[in-house]
mmCIF file of all heavy atoms in Angstrom:
data_model
loop_
_atom_site.group_PDB
_atom_site.id
_atom_site.type_symbol
_atom_site.label_atom_id
_atom_site.label_comp_id
_atom_site.label_asym_id
_atom_site.label_seq_id
_atom_site.Cartn_x
_atom_site.Cartn_y
_atom_site.Cartn_z
ATOM 1 N N LYS A 21 15.676 23.184 14.815
ATOM 2 C CA LYS A 21 15.783 21.733 14.984
ATOM 3 C C LYS A 21 14.406 21.082 14.864
ATOM 4 O O LYS A 21 14.258 20.034 14.227
ATOM 5 C CB LYS A 21 16.394 21.418 16.349
ATOM 6 C CG LYS A 21 16.589 19.950 16.620
ATOM 7 C CD LYS A 21 17.192 19.723 17.995
ATOM 8 C CE LYS A 21 17.244 18.247 18.325
ATOM 9 N NZ LYS A 21 17.692 17.983 19.674
ATOM 10 N N LEU A 22 13.368 21.695 15.464
ATOM 11 C CA LEU A 22 12.012 21.162 15.373
ATOM 12 C C LEU A 22 11.514 21.156 13.926
ATOM 13 O O LEU A 22 10.882 20.195 13.485
ATOM 14 C CB LEU A 22 11.051 21.963 16.246
ATOM 15 C CG LEU A 22 11.146 21.747 17.747
ATOM 16 C CD1 LEU A 22 10.178 22.672 18.469
ATOM 17 C CD2 LEU A 22 10.866 20.305 18.113
ATOM 18 N N LYS A 23 11.808 22.225 13.190
ATOM 19 C CA LYS A 23 11.404 22.285 11.788
ATOM 20 C C LYS A 23 12.080 21.171 10.996
ATOM 21 O O LYS A 23 11.443 20.512 10.172
ATOM 22 C CB LYS A 23 11.751 23.644 11.188
ATOM 23 C CG LYS A 23 10.837 24.760 11.610
ATOM 24 C CD LYS A 23 11.245 26.070 10.965
ATOM 25 C CE LYS A 23 10.365 27.215 11.423
ATOM 26 N NZ LYS A 23 10.784 28.500 10.838
ATOM 27 N N GLN A 24 13.359 20.957 11.265
ATOM 28 C CA GLN A 24 14.108 19.916 10.558
ATOM 29 C C GLN A 24 13.552 18.530 10.895
ATOM 30 O O GLN A 24 13.380 17.696 10.016
ATOM 31 C CB GLN A 24 15.592 20.003 10.930
ATOM 32 C CG GLN A 24 16.478 19.113 10.112
ATOM 33 C CD GLN A 24 17.940 19.315 10.449
ATOM 34 O OE1 GLN A 24 18.283 19.697 11.571
ATOM 35 N NE2 GLN A 24 18.801 19.051 9.499
ATOM 36 N N GLU A 25 13.230 18.299 12.174
ATOM 37 C CA GLU A 25 12.651 17.019 12.570
ATOM 38 C C GLU A 25 11.286 16.814 11.924
ATOM 39 O O GLU A 25 10.938 15.700 11.530
ATOM 40 C CB GLU A 25 12.541 16.925 14.091
ATOM 41 C CG GLU A 25 13.874 16.747 14.774
ATOM 42 C CD GLU A 25 13.776 16.764 16.295
ATOM 43 O OE1 GLU A 25 12.656 16.881 16.830
ATOM 44 O OE2 GLU A 25 14.829 16.661 16.945
ATOM 45 N N GLY A 26 10.511 17.870 11.801
ATOM 46 C CA GLY A 26 9.217 17.783 11.124
ATOM 47 C C GLY A 26 9.379 17.412 9.659
ATOM 48 O O GLY A 26 8.611 16.618 9.118
ATOM 49 N N GLU A 27 10.409 17.978 9.020
ATOM 50 C CA GLU A 27 10.680 17.636 7.622
ATOM 51 C C GLU A 27 11.089 16.173 7.508
ATOM 52 O O GLU A 27 10.655 15.473 6.590
ATOM 53 C CB GLU A 27 11.770 18.538 7.056
ATOM 54 C CG GLU A 27 11.316 19.974 6.844
ATOM 55 C CD GLU A 27 12.454 20.896 6.462
ATOM 56 O OE1 GLU A 27 13.574 20.410 6.178
ATOM 57 O OE2 GLU A 27 12.230 22.116 6.441
ATOM 58 N N TYR A 28 11.920 15.688 8.437
ATOM 59 C CA TYR A 28 12.336 14.283 8.423
ATOM 60 C C TYR A 28 11.128 13.369 8.601
ATOM 61 O O TYR A 28 11.005 12.345 7.928
ATOM 62 C CB TYR A 28 13.356 13.998 9.520
ATOM 63 C CG TYR A 28 14.725 14.575 9.280
ATOM 64 C CD1 TYR A 28 15.516 14.979 10.345
ATOM 65 C CD2 TYR A 28 15.245 14.726 8.002
ATOM 66 C CE1 TYR A 28 16.791 15.506 10.135
ATOM 67 C CE2 TYR A 28 16.500 15.259 7.782
ATOM 68 C CZ TYR A 28 17.264 15.648 8.853
ATOM 69 O OH TYR A 28 18.504 16.157 8.654
ATOM 70 N N LYS A 29 10.229 13.753 9.506
ATOM 71 C CA LYS A 29 9.027 12.946 9.749
ATOM 72 C C LYS A 29 8.168 12.894 8.496
ATOM 73 O O LYS A 29 7.691 11.832 8.101
ATOM 74 C CB LYS A 29 8.224 13.519 10.917
ATOM 75 C CG LYS A 29 6.955 12.720 11.222
ATOM 76 C CD LYS A 29 6.136 13.367 12.297
ATOM 77 C CE LYS A 29 5.448 14.552 11.711
ATOM 78 N NZ LYS A 29 4.492 15.228 12.504
ATOM 79 N N SER A 30 7.992 14.026 7.846
ATOM 80 C CA SER A 30 7.189 14.064 6.628
ATOM 81 C C SER A 30 7.819 13.216 5.531
ATOM 82 O O SER A 30 7.115 12.490 4.817
ATOM 83 C CB SER A 30 7.030 15.499 6.143
ATOM 84 O OG SER A 30 6.314 16.250 7.083
ATOM 85 N N MET A 31 9.145 13.300 5.380
ATOM 86 C CA MET A 31 9.834 12.485 4.376
ATOM 87 C C MET A 31 9.674 11.004 4.692
ATOM 88 O O MET A 31 9.421 10.185 3.801
ATOM 89 C CB MET A 31 11.320 12.863 4.312
ATOM 90 C CG MET A 31 11.581 14.188 3.635
ATOM 91 S SD MET A 31 13.302 14.802 3.660
ATOM 92 C CE MET A 31 14.302 13.386 3.862
ATOM 93 N N PHE A 32 9.797 10.646 5.968
ATOM 94 C CA PHE A 32 9.644 9.249 6.374
ATOM 95 C C PHE A 32 8.243 8.751 6.056
ATOM 96 O O PHE A 32 8.069 7.666 5.489
ATOM 97 C CB PHE A 32 9.942 9.094 7.870
ATOM 98 C CG PHE A 32 9.610 7.729 8.406
ATOM 99 C CD1 PHE A 32 10.455 6.661 8.175
ATOM 100 C CD2 PHE A 32 8.441 7.516 9.121
ATOM 101 C CE1 PHE A 32 10.155 5.394 8.657
ATOM 102 C CE2 PHE A 32 8.121 6.262 9.607
ATOM 103 C CZ PHE A 32 8.983 5.196 9.374
ATOM 104 N N LEU A 33 7.231 9.528 6.427
ATOM 105 C CA LEU A 33 5.849 9.117 6.176
ATOM 106 C C LEU A 33 5.575 8.982 4.683
ATOM 107 O O LEU A 33 4.906 8.036 4.253
ATOM 108 C CB LEU A 33 4.869 10.098 6.815
ATOM 109 C CG LEU A 33 4.797 10.062 8.333
ATOM 110 C CD1 LEU A 33 3.895 11.178 8.845
ATOM 111 C CD2 LEU A 33 4.317 8.722 8.828
ATOM 112 N N ALA A 34 6.087 9.903 3.893
ATOM 113 C CA ALA A 34 5.872 9.819 2.447
ATOM 114 C C ALA A 34 6.540 8.567 1.883
ATOM 115 O O ALA A 34 5.935 7.827 1.099
ATOM 116 C CB ALA A 34 6.410 11.071 1.757
ATOM 117 N N ASN A 35 7.788 8.292 2.297
ATOM 118 C CA ASN A 35 8.485 7.099 1.813
ATOM 119 C C ASN A 35 7.780 5.825 2.258
ATOM 120 O O ASN A 35 7.614 4.896 1.474
ATOM 121 C CB ASN A 35 9.939 7.086 2.288
ATOM 122 C CG ASN A 35 10.783 8.101 1.554
ATOM 123 O OD1 ASN A 35 10.471 8.496 0.442
ATOM 124 N ND2 ASN A 35 11.850 8.546 2.188
ATOM 125 N N MET A 36 7.364 5.779 3.522
ATOM 126 C CA MET A 36 6.682 4.583 4.031
ATOM 127 C C MET A 36 5.344 4.392 3.317
ATOM 128 O O MET A 36 4.965 3.264 2.992
ATOM 129 C CB MET A 36 6.448 4.683 5.539
ATOM 130 C CG MET A 36 7.684 4.418 6.356
ATOM 131 S SD MET A 36 8.476 2.847 5.963
ATOM 132 C CE MET A 36 7.202 1.691 6.344
ATOM 133 N N GLY A 37 4.646 5.480 3.067
ATOM 134 C CA GLY A 37 3.370 5.381 2.363
ATOM 135 C C GLY A 37 3.554 4.778 0.982
ATOM 136 O O GLY A 37 2.816 3.878 0.575
ATOM 137 N N HIS A 38 4.585 5.247 0.272
ATOM 138 C CA HIS A 38 4.843 4.708 -1.062
ATOM 139 C C HIS A 38 5.312 3.257 -0.994
ATOM 140 O O HIS A 38 4.934 2.439 -1.831
ATOM 141 C CB HIS A 38 5.854 5.578 -1.801
ATOM 142 C CG HIS A 38 5.296 6.909 -2.189
ATOM 143 N ND1 HIS A 38 4.281 7.062 -3.107
ATOM 144 C CD2 HIS A 38 5.597 8.159 -1.757
ATOM 145 C CE1 HIS A 38 3.982 8.338 -3.229
ATOM 146 N NE2 HIS A 38 4.756 9.025 -2.418
ATOM 147 N N GLU A 39 6.104 2.931 0.008
ATOM 148 C CA GLU A 39 6.565 1.552 0.169
ATOM 149 C C GLU A 39 5.409 0.614 0.484
ATOM 150 O O GLU A 39 5.403 -0.537 0.066
ATOM 151 C CB GLU A 39 7.620 1.455 1.282
ATOM 152 C CG GLU A 39 8.932 2.141 0.950
ATOM 153 C CD GLU A 39 9.657 1.507 -0.230
ATOM 154 O OE1 GLU A 39 9.615 0.275 -0.371
ATOM 155 O OE2 GLU A 39 10.248 2.262 -1.023
ATOM 156 N N LEU A 40 4.420 1.079 1.220
ATOM 157 C CA LEU A 40 3.250 0.259 1.539
ATOM 158 C C LEU A 40 2.285 0.152 0.358
ATOM 159 O O LEU A 40 1.664 -0.888 0.144
ATOM 160 C CB LEU A 40 2.504 0.838 2.751
ATOM 161 C CG LEU A 40 3.226 0.738 4.092
ATOM 162 C CD1 LEU A 40 2.487 1.538 5.144
ATOM 163 C CD2 LEU A 40 3.372 -0.704 4.520
ATOM 164 N N ARG A 41 2.162 1.221 -0.393
ATOM 165 C CA ARG A 41 1.237 1.223 -1.531
ATOM 166 C C ARG A 41 1.638 0.217 -2.600
ATOM 167 O O ARG A 41 0.778 -0.439 -3.194
ATOM 168 C CB ARG A 41 1.164 2.616 -2.167
ATOM 169 C CG ARG A 41 0.299 3.589 -1.438
ATOM 170 C CD ARG A 41 0.331 4.958 -2.119
ATOM 171 N NE ARG A 41 -0.229 4.931 -3.447
ATOM 172 C CZ ARG A 41 -1.523 5.070 -3.735
ATOM 173 N NH1 ARG A 41 -2.385 5.235 -2.776
ATOM 174 N NH2 ARG A 41 -1.955 5.052 -4.966
ATOM 175 N N THR A 42 2.921 0.080 -2.860
ATOM 176 C CA THR A 42 3.389 -0.784 -3.951
ATOM 177 C C THR A 42 2.932 -2.233 -3.777
ATOM 178 O O THR A 42 2.274 -2.774 -4.675
ATOM 179 C CB THR A 42 4.916 -0.684 -4.094
ATOM 180 O OG1 THR A 42 5.255 0.687 -4.328
ATOM 181 C CG2 THR A 42 5.428 -1.532 -5.232
ATOM 182 N N PRO A 43 3.233 -2.904 -2.646
ATOM 183 C CA PRO A 43 2.750 -4.292 -2.529
ATOM 184 C C PRO A 43 1.231 -4.372 -2.403
ATOM 185 O O PRO A 43 0.618 -5.342 -2.867
ATOM 186 C CB PRO A 43 3.442 -4.812 -1.267
ATOM 187 C CG PRO A 43 3.890 -3.614 -0.516
ATOM 188 C CD PRO A 43 4.069 -2.522 -1.513
ATOM 189 N N LEU A 44 0.622 -3.356 -1.821
ATOM 190 C CA LEU A 44 -0.825 -3.367 -1.664
ATOM 191 C C LEU A 44 -1.519 -3.307 -3.023
ATOM 192 O O LEU A 44 -2.503 -4.019 -3.267
ATOM 193 C CB LEU A 44 -1.263 -2.196 -0.775
ATOM 194 C CG LEU A 44 -2.720 -2.134 -0.393
ATOM 195 C CD1 LEU A 44 -3.173 -3.432 0.263
ATOM 196 C CD2 LEU A 44 -2.940 -0.977 0.565
ATOM 197 N N ILE A 45 -1.012 -2.500 -3.920
ATOM 198 C CA ILE A 45 -1.587 -2.429 -5.260
ATOM 199 C C ILE A 45 -1.384 -3.767 -5.977
ATOM 200 O O ILE A 45 -2.259 -4.228 -6.714
ATOM 201 C CB ILE A 45 -0.988 -1.239 -6.045
ATOM 202 C CG1 ILE A 45 -1.548 0.062 -5.459
ATOM 203 C CG2 ILE A 45 -1.287 -1.335 -7.528
ATOM 204 C CD1 ILE A 45 -0.939 1.324 -5.996
ATOM 205 N N GLY A 46 -0.246 -4.422 -5.719
ATOM 206 C CA GLY A 46 -0.027 -5.758 -6.276
ATOM 207 C C GLY A 46 -1.060 -6.753 -5.759
ATOM 208 O O GLY A 46 -1.603 -7.558 -6.531
ATOM 209 N N ILE A 47 -1.344 -6.718 -4.478
ATOM 210 C CA ILE A 47 -2.348 -7.618 -3.885
ATOM 211 C C ILE A 47 -3.718 -7.358 -4.502
ATOM 212 O O ILE A 47 -4.441 -8.295 -4.870
ATOM 213 C CB ILE A 47 -2.404 -7.434 -2.348
ATOM 214 C CG1 ILE A 47 -1.120 -7.962 -1.709
ATOM 215 C CG2 ILE A 47 -3.634 -8.116 -1.755
ATOM 216 C CD1 ILE A 47 -0.952 -7.580 -0.251
ATOM 217 N N LEU A 48 -4.084 -6.083 -4.642
ATOM 218 C CA LEU A 48 -5.384 -5.757 -5.239
ATOM 219 C C LEU A 48 -5.446 -6.201 -6.709
ATOM 220 O O LEU A 48 -6.483 -6.679 -7.171
ATOM 221 C CB LEU A 48 -5.670 -4.265 -5.111
ATOM 222 C CG LEU A 48 -5.960 -3.774 -3.691
ATOM 223 C CD1 LEU A 48 -6.031 -2.257 -3.653
ATOM 224 C CD2 LEU A 48 -7.234 -4.387 -3.161
ATOM 225 N N GLY A 49 -4.337 -6.056 -7.417
ATOM 226 C CA GLY A 49 -4.304 -6.482 -8.818
ATOM 227 C C GLY A 49 -4.480 -7.983 -8.960
ATOM 228 O O GLY A 49 -5.247 -8.464 -9.811
ATOM 229 N N VAL A 50 -3.775 -8.754 -8.120
ATOM 230 C CA VAL A 50 -3.896 -10.209 -8.167
ATOM 231 C C VAL A 50 -5.306 -10.627 -7.748
ATOM 232 O O VAL A 50 -5.897 -11.534 -8.345
ATOM 233 C CB VAL A 50 -2.819 -10.874 -7.282
ATOM 234 C CG1 VAL A 50 -3.068 -12.360 -7.141
ATOM 235 C CG2 VAL A 50 -1.436 -10.620 -7.870
ATOM 236 N N THR A 51 -5.864 -9.968 -6.759
ATOM 237 C CA THR A 51 -7.238 -10.266 -6.334
ATOM 238 C C THR A 51 -8.207 -10.037 -7.485
ATOM 239 O O THR A 51 -9.113 -10.843 -7.721
ATOM 240 C CB THR A 51 -7.635 -9.391 -5.127
ATOM 241 O OG1 THR A 51 -6.702 -9.601 -4.076
ATOM 242 C CG2 THR A 51 -9.023 -9.714 -4.633
ATOM 243 N N ASP A 52 -8.006 -8.967 -8.226
ATOM 244 C CA ASP A 52 -8.853 -8.678 -9.374
ATOM 245 C C ASP A 52 -8.711 -9.774 -10.432
ATOM 246 O O ASP A 52 -9.702 -10.218 -11.022
ATOM 247 C CB ASP A 52 -8.479 -7.308 -9.950
ATOM 248 C CG ASP A 52 -9.490 -6.793 -10.942
ATOM 249 O OD1 ASP A 52 -10.688 -6.977 -10.701
ATOM 250 O OD2 ASP A 52 -9.068 -6.214 -11.968
ATOM 251 N N LEU A 53 -7.478 -10.231 -10.665
ATOM 252 C CA LEU A 53 -7.254 -11.310 -11.631
ATOM 253 C C LEU A 53 -7.920 -12.609 -11.174
ATOM 254 O O LEU A 53 -8.507 -13.340 -11.977
ATOM 255 C CB LEU A 53 -5.751 -11.537 -11.843
ATOM 256 C CG LEU A 53 -4.994 -10.418 -12.558
ATOM 257 C CD1 LEU A 53 -3.498 -10.709 -12.543
ATOM 258 C CD2 LEU A 53 -5.505 -10.247 -13.983
ATOM 259 N N ILE A 54 -7.829 -12.903 -9.890
ATOM 260 C CA ILE A 54 -8.456 -14.118 -9.348
ATOM 261 C C ILE A 54 -9.971 -14.057 -9.532
ATOM 262 O O ILE A 54 -10.608 -15.048 -9.857
ATOM 263 C CB ILE A 54 -8.084 -14.306 -7.858
ATOM 264 C CG1 ILE A 54 -6.613 -14.665 -7.725
ATOM 265 C CG2 ILE A 54 -8.959 -15.369 -7.211
ATOM 266 C CD1 ILE A 54 -6.104 -14.675 -6.286
ATOM 267 N N GLN A 55 -10.542 -12.878 -9.344
ATOM 268 C CA GLN A 55 -11.994 -12.735 -9.482
ATOM 269 C C GLN A 55 -12.459 -12.979 -10.912
ATOM 270 O O GLN A 55 -13.622 -13.279 -11.141
ATOM 271 C CB GLN A 55 -12.442 -11.351 -9.003
ATOM 272 C CG GLN A 55 -12.371 -11.190 -7.504
ATOM 273 C CD GLN A 55 -12.703 -9.779 -7.046
ATOM 274 O OE1 GLN A 55 -12.621 -8.830 -7.816
ATOM 275 N NE2 GLN A 55 -13.068 -9.652 -5.783
ATOM 276 N N ASP A 56 -11.555 -12.853 -11.880
ATOM 277 C CA ASP A 56 -11.909 -13.106 -13.278
ATOM 278 C C ASP A 56 -11.858 -14.597 -13.630
ATOM 279 O O ASP A 56 -12.149 -14.969 -14.760
ATOM 280 C CB ASP A 56 -10.975 -12.325 -14.214
ATOM 281 C CG ASP A 56 -11.225 -10.825 -14.151
ATOM 282 O OD1 ASP A 56 -12.330 -10.425 -13.717
ATOM 283 O OD2 ASP A 56 -10.321 -10.063 -14.530
ATOM 284 N N THR A 57 -11.482 -15.445 -12.678
ATOM 285 C CA THR A 57 -11.426 -16.888 -12.930
ATOM 286 C C THR A 57 -12.686 -17.552 -12.402
ATOM 287 O O THR A 57 -13.532 -16.913 -11.775
ATOM 288 C CB THR A 57 -10.178 -17.504 -12.256
ATOM 289 O OG1 THR A 57 -10.289 -17.349 -10.837
ATOM 290 C CG2 THR A 57 -8.894 -16.856 -12.751
ATOM 291 N N GLN A 58 -12.780 -18.842 -12.634
ATOM 292 C CA GLN A 58 -13.928 -19.627 -12.175
ATOM 293 C C GLN A 58 -13.805 -19.847 -10.670
ATOM 294 O O GLN A 58 -12.901 -20.538 -10.223
ATOM 295 C CB GLN A 58 -13.941 -20.970 -12.918
ATOM 296 C CG GLN A 58 -15.248 -21.707 -12.863
ATOM 297 C CD GLN A 58 -16.335 -21.008 -13.689
ATOM 298 O OE1 GLN A 58 -16.063 -20.230 -14.580
ATOM 299 N NE2 GLN A 58 -17.574 -21.289 -13.358
ATOM 300 N N LEU A 59 -14.697 -19.280 -9.893
ATOM 301 C CA LEU A 59 -14.647 -19.382 -8.433
ATOM 302 C C LEU A 59 -15.990 -19.859 -7.887
ATOM 303 O O LEU A 59 -17.041 -19.604 -8.478
ATOM 304 C CB LEU A 59 -14.326 -18.015 -7.808
ATOM 305 C CG LEU A 59 -13.005 -17.355 -8.170
ATOM 306 C CD1 LEU A 59 -12.960 -15.958 -7.586
ATOM 307 C CD2 LEU A 59 -11.827 -18.168 -7.664
ATOM 308 N N SER A 60 -15.921 -20.513 -6.746
ATOM 309 C CA SER A 60 -17.154 -20.891 -6.051
ATOM 310 C C SER A 60 -17.735 -19.650 -5.373
ATOM 311 O O SER A 60 -17.070 -18.616 -5.264
ATOM 312 C CB SER A 60 -16.866 -21.970 -5.007
ATOM 313 O OG SER A 60 -16.099 -21.413 -3.947
ATOM 314 N N LYS A 61 -18.964 -19.745 -4.892
ATOM 315 C CA LYS A 61 -19.604 -18.605 -4.220
ATOM 316 C C LYS A 61 -18.804 -18.185 -2.990
ATOM 317 O O LYS A 61 -18.638 -16.998 -2.718
ATOM 318 C CB LYS A 61 -21.040 -18.955 -3.823
ATOM 319 C CG LYS A 61 -21.974 -19.029 -4.989
ATOM 320 C CD LYS A 61 -23.389 -19.330 -4.541
ATOM 321 C CE LYS A 61 -24.312 -19.412 -5.754
ATOM 322 N NZ LYS A 61 -25.697 -19.662 -5.379
ATOM 323 N N GLU A 62 -18.294 -19.164 -2.246
ATOM 324 C CA GLU A 62 -17.495 -18.865 -1.041
ATOM 325 C C GLU A 62 -16.199 -18.151 -1.419
ATOM 326 O O GLU A 62 -15.796 -17.191 -0.770
ATOM 327 C CB GLU A 62 -17.208 -20.163 -0.272
ATOM 328 C CG GLU A 62 -16.458 -19.943 1.024
ATOM 329 C CD GLU A 62 -17.246 -19.173 2.076
ATOM 330 O OE1 GLU A 62 -18.499 -19.106 1.995
ATOM 331 O OE2 GLU A 62 -16.615 -18.621 2.990
ATOM 332 N N GLN A 63 -15.557 -18.608 -2.504
ATOM 333 C CA GLN A 63 -14.318 -17.969 -2.952
ATOM 334 C C GLN A 63 -14.583 -16.546 -3.445
ATOM 335 O O GLN A 63 -13.783 -15.643 -3.196
ATOM 336 C CB GLN A 63 -13.663 -18.811 -4.049
ATOM 337 C CG GLN A 63 -13.071 -20.109 -3.549
ATOM 338 C CD GLN A 63 -12.635 -21.008 -4.693
ATOM 339 O OE1 GLN A 63 -13.239 -21.039 -5.759
ATOM 340 N NE2 GLN A 63 -11.557 -21.752 -4.439
ATOM 341 N N ILE A 64 -15.698 -16.356 -4.132
ATOM 342 C CA ILE A 64 -16.058 -15.004 -4.587
ATOM 343 C C ILE A 64 -16.252 -14.084 -3.380
ATOM 344 O O ILE A 64 -15.758 -12.954 -3.348
ATOM 345 C CB ILE A 64 -17.337 -15.040 -5.460
ATOM 346 C CG1 ILE A 64 -17.049 -15.726 -6.794
ATOM 347 C CG2 ILE A 64 -17.897 -13.643 -5.676
ATOM 348 C CD1 ILE A 64 -18.286 -16.005 -7.630
#
């Protein structure tokens, strides 16, 4: 039972990690695009 629970925990962490990475990579991509535009020093 402990081994099975450990496998469930690992699967959960892997799924959550991938679910978090997807929007985060989107945020970083948009930030990179914004940096390629005309920005003030404060915005940069």
Side-chain angles (χ1 to χ4, degrees):
K21 182 180 174 186
L22 286 177
K23 285 180 182 178
Q24 188 176 28
E25 288 175 2
E27 289 172 10
Y28 288 148
K29 180 185 75 173
S30 296
M31 286 174 24
F32 171 78
L33 289 174
N35 287 336
M36 283 306 300
H38 290 294
E39 292 296 323
L40 291 171
R41 281 178 64 86
T42 302
L44 186 55
I45 288 173
I47 291 168
L48 290 172
V50 171
T51 303
D52 193 40
L53 292 173
I54 291 172
Q55 288 175 339
D56 290 339
T57 64
Q58 197 70 21
L59 299 173
S60 69
K61 288 182 181 182
E62 183 66 20
Q63 289 171 326
I64 291 171

